[in-house]
Amino acid sequence: MSITRRGFLGASLAAAMDGWQPAAAAGARVTLDQLQPGVYVARAHNAEVARANAGEVVPTLVHVTGAGVLVVDPGPQAAWGGALLGAIRALTPQPVRWVVNTHAHPENVLANAALARLRPRPVFLASAATAALMRQRCADCLARLQAQLGRAAMRGTTIVLPEPALQAGGWLHTGATAWQVQVHDNAHSASDTVLYAPQLRLLCAGGLAYQERVPEMQEASLQGWRQALRQLAALPADTVVATAPGTPAQTLVPTLAYLDALASGIGAALAAGCDASHAIDAVAAAPFRRWRHFHARHPLNVQRAWRQLEDLWMQGEPLA
């Protein structure tokens, strides 16, 4: 099932949003694909943020609970958030009650601006670490996205910070659905929040898992990311919503395989006495060469991983 909503919002939504409407020039469009009854994901580009895609690269999770709507990672800017709300209204008149920010990347969180104009206002939630990082970074991130995507695409986008209310090992209750909260520090980013609904067999993994796209290691910890993915792979889930939605075999498993290839290849090279000039040759990358952004990103990932693992190896830490 797919629901598509274009352009301006309907009169009922406009009233609920206290007269605010997204910039029509942005042309934002959101299609919600049903994953299971009451659970939807916004169709997004499986790509990096670029002017051509207006930063619309986050498959936002939408859960219609009966007691309100949960939105996880609402997207990159106000126009996208407004179109998302239009698509939600095509599904249900239930209010958006909960908005979760899984990590402090601008393409995930800056559409908070659209949802914050709703009345009643939803509660915005994150881990303490993510909330602190957003407080530190969001002004710079907004300026960077404005420069990257253009001011027209970012019109109406302001910073809305979440409450630091999600705790590792805690639960988020959304109607009849209970979400187990995991917080992984120093993994894909400085802090990554995961929501897992056992009764739905649904895992919302934020930026921790990719699908046929080379992972971004710019601020990642290779060992921390691998550890997080091993924990997630042990959960009995049928569906994973991450940078692209899919099954665990389509998302968690290949992402971990790529990161394991980095670790095993570099670890073997270090043990053999090789130096960083041999880094790119040390990683058995053939299974991943057809992934998006391989030629641009993989060499940078190898360099970052080498620096991290070399430090650990010199300290006598195991690299497996």
Side-chain angles (χ1 to χ4, degrees):
M1 173 182 179
S2 294
I3 302 292
T4 302
R5 194 65 170 258
R6 296 174 180 264
F8 290 106
L9 307 178
S12 61
L13 178 60
M17 296 180 70
D18 201 22
W20 179 86
Q21 293 191 12
R29 168 182 174 173
V30 173
T31 299
L32 294 178
D33 293 324
Q34 187 175 47
L35 301 180
Q36 56 180 276
V39 180
Y40 304 83
V41 66
R43 199 176 297 172
H45 299 273
N46 185 14
E48 299 307 306
V49 171
R51 189 172 288 246
N53 59 40
E56 296 163 2
V57 299
V58 175
T60 300
L61 177 75
V62 173
H63 180 29
V64 181
T65 72
V69 178
L70 165 70
V71 174
V72 181
D73 287 339
Q77 22 87 345
W80 171 264
L84 173 67
L85 287 170
I88 291 171
R89 284 296 170 263
L91 291 174
T92 177
Q94 294 179 34
V96 176
R97 290 190 57 192
W98 309 274
V99 180
V100 172
N101 296 146
T102 64
H103 59 289
H105 284 179
E107 62 270 27
N108 292 73
V109 306
L110 288 179
N112 283 1
L115 281 65
R117 297 178 184 266
L118 286 169
R119 297 295 180 268
R121 190 180 193 267
V123 59
F124 292 82
L125 302 168
S127 70
T130 292
L133 287 165
M134 288 176 64
R135 188 174 298 277
Q136 295 168 14
R137 298 177 175 180
C138 271
D140 290 339
C141 289
L142 175 56
R144 187 168 67 250
L145 271 192
Q146 286 175 334
Q148 188 174 6
L149 304 180
R151 289 190 175 274
M154 300 300 293
R155 187 175 296 122
T157 304
T158 57
I159 296 167
V160 176
L161 298 174
E163 299 177 18
L166 298 181
Q167 298 181 357
W171 292 84
L172 172 63
H173 294 273
T174 58
T177 305
W179 299 83
Q180 183 186 48
V181 178
Q182 295 186 15
V183 180
H184 297 275
D185 293 329
N186 298 315
H188 150 262
S189 70
S191 180
D192 292 278
T193 299
V194 171
L195 298 180
Y196 171 60
Q199 65 272 50
L200 302 178
R201 296 180 65 89
L202 175 64
L203 179 65
C204 190
L208 284 164
Y210 286 63
Q211 185 176 154
E212 297 184 348
R213 178 157 60 104
V214 176
E216 170 61 77
M217 282 195 59
Q218 183 172 355
E219 59 173 322
S221 162
L222 176 60
Q223 299 297 72
W225 198 343
R226 294 170 69 210
Q227 181 179 2
L229 286 173
R230 290 194 186 101
Q231 293 180 23
L232 299 186
L235 296 172
D238 297 325
T239 305
V240 179
V241 177
T243 56
T247 65
Q250 293 170 326
T251 56
L252 302 177
V253 173
T255 304
L256 180 57
Y258 174 79
L259 299 177
D260 281 347
L262 288 178
S264 61
I266 293 171
L270 288 169
C274 297
D275 59 27
S277 65
H278 296 88
I280 196 68
D281 299 322
V283 179
F288 317 106
R289 288 187 180 277
R290 299 183 70 176
W291 285 9
R292 293 175 181 87
H293 312 299
F294 176 85
H295 295 289
R297 177 167 294 170
H298 177 66
L300 296 176
N301 285 348
V302 172
Q303 293 174 19
R304 293 177 180 122
W306 184 283
R307 289 195 296 269
Q308 292 178 17
L309 295 183
E310 186 176 38
D311 288 343
L312 293 174
W313 181 77
M314 292 179 67
Q315 296 168 21
E317 296 287 337
L319 305 183

